[in-house]
Amino acid sequence: MTATRPDPAAVLEGSTVRLRPLALGDLPDLFDAIGHPEVFAGGWGGGPAAYRDTYEEWREFLLGYLAWETGNVTAVTLRDDGRIVGTTTLGDFDLANRSAHIGWTAYAPEVWGTRVNAETKRLLLGAAFDSGFERVKLQADVLNERSRAAILRLGAQFEGILRHTQLRADGTWRDTAVYSVLREEWPAVRASLDERLAPEAV
């Protein structure tokens, strides 16, 4: 089996969220959703020191932060009203070794702890494995306990901690907790997520 990059223009539909390509015209609405100190507090974007409190500075930061050229950069929107509540990316495509990475994920605090993240990851993992990938990586700053717990709830397996992988915005070194889902694990992970997302489970 060979792996192919999923169509970056594809729209993925769930019952709660719709994932579509993030456009530059979406950035004001995305700023309203995630341009908050608490989003950066756990380590997203380089940590609290990366926070920018004006739209202009935040936009400049985001243009350099997201994998616009190499990844499938996605707007996470609510199906009921189309409102943008976050962003995530399927990227780091290694087609020869059939691996990819779901990351660069941030949500509006109002949807933390809801079904939004689980359904978003269900859709992206499905797109990756349907496209022939063998391994999908997820990771978080080792200090980001909320994100690490959310990754484990998805059914991903903890692989370990990579030390001093990158500099945070404040100049300290980030250690990165790495997780993955393998193709052979995907049916069980998918079934667990589908059960969690079933209407009667809400």
Side-chain angles (χ1 to χ4, degrees), residues 97-117:
N97 292 303
R98 291 185 281 165
S99 69
H101 171 203
I102 297 175
W104 302 270
T105 303
Y107 299 111
E110 69 190 80
V111 302
W112 292 358
T114 71
R115 58 187 286 132
V116 166
N117 181 58

Side-chain angles (χ1 to χ4, degrees), residues 39-126:
V39 173
F40 290 78
W44 187 80
Y51 171 66
R52 302 291 183 266
D53 61 0
T54 68
Y55 170 71
E56 291 74 17
E57 291 179 317
W58 177 89
R59 182 181 187 276
E60 182 179 357
F61 153 77
L62 201 72
L63 290 176
Y65 179 67
L66 297 183
W68 296 96
E69 299 299 323
T70 59
N72 293 7
V73 181
T74 299
V76 180
T77 69
L78 298 180
R79 286 198 59 173
D80 60 356
D81 61 9
R83 184 163 51 94
I84 293 177
V85 293
T87 182
T88 190
T89 296
L90 181 63
D92 286 348
F93 299 112
D94 181 346
L95 300 183
N97 292 303
R98 291 185 281 165
S99 69
H101 171 203
I102 297 175
W104 302 270
T105 303
Y107 299 111
E110 69 190 80
V111 302
W112 292 358
T114 71
R115 58 187 286 132
V116 166
N117 181 58
E119 190 169 76
T120 295
K121 296 301 196 298
R122 166 64 175 87
L123 293 168
L124 288 179
L125 286 165

Side-chain angles (χ1 to χ4, degrees), residues 61-201:
F61 153 77
L62 201 72
L63 290 176
Y65 179 67
L66 297 183
W68 296 96
E69 299 299 323
T70 59
N72 293 7
V73 181
T74 299
V76 180
T77 69
L78 298 180
R79 286 198 59 173
D80 60 356
D81 61 9
R83 184 163 51 94
I84 293 177
V85 293
T87 182
T88 190
T89 296
L90 181 63
D92 286 348
F93 299 112
D94 181 346
L95 300 183
N97 292 303
R98 291 185 281 165
S99 69
H101 171 203
I102 297 175
W104 302 270
T105 303
Y107 299 111
E110 69 190 80
V111 302
W112 292 358
T114 71
R115 58 187 286 132
V116 166
N117 181 58
E119 190 169 76
T120 295
K121 296 301 196 298
R122 166 64 175 87
L123 293 168
L124 288 179
L125 286 165
F129 288 116
D130 288 348
S131 298
F133 286 90
E134 174 67 19
R135 174 179 183 269
V136 179
K137 178 181 69 173
L138 303 99
Q139 64 185 33
D141 189 313
V142 72
L143 300 179
N144 192 339
E145 295 293 343
R146 184 180 58 81
S147 290
R148 294 182 64 183
I151 293 171
L152 285 174
R153 283 197 301 273
L154 296 172
Q157 297 297 307
F158 176 60
E159 294 187 341
I161 295 173
L162 301 180
R163 299 181 300 166
H164 289 201
T165 54
Q166 62 198 79
L167 284 167
R168 299 185 181 99
D170 64 2
T172 62
W173 282 104
R174 163 176 156 156
D175 293 346
T176 298
V178 180
Y179 306 78
S180 67
V181 179
L182 303 182
R183 170 172 292 278
E184 65 198 50
E185 298 164 345
W186 172 231
V189 170
R190 179 179 58 207
S192 177
L193 285 171
D194 286 346
E195 180 178 1
R196 179 175 163 188
L197 293 167
E200 60 269 20

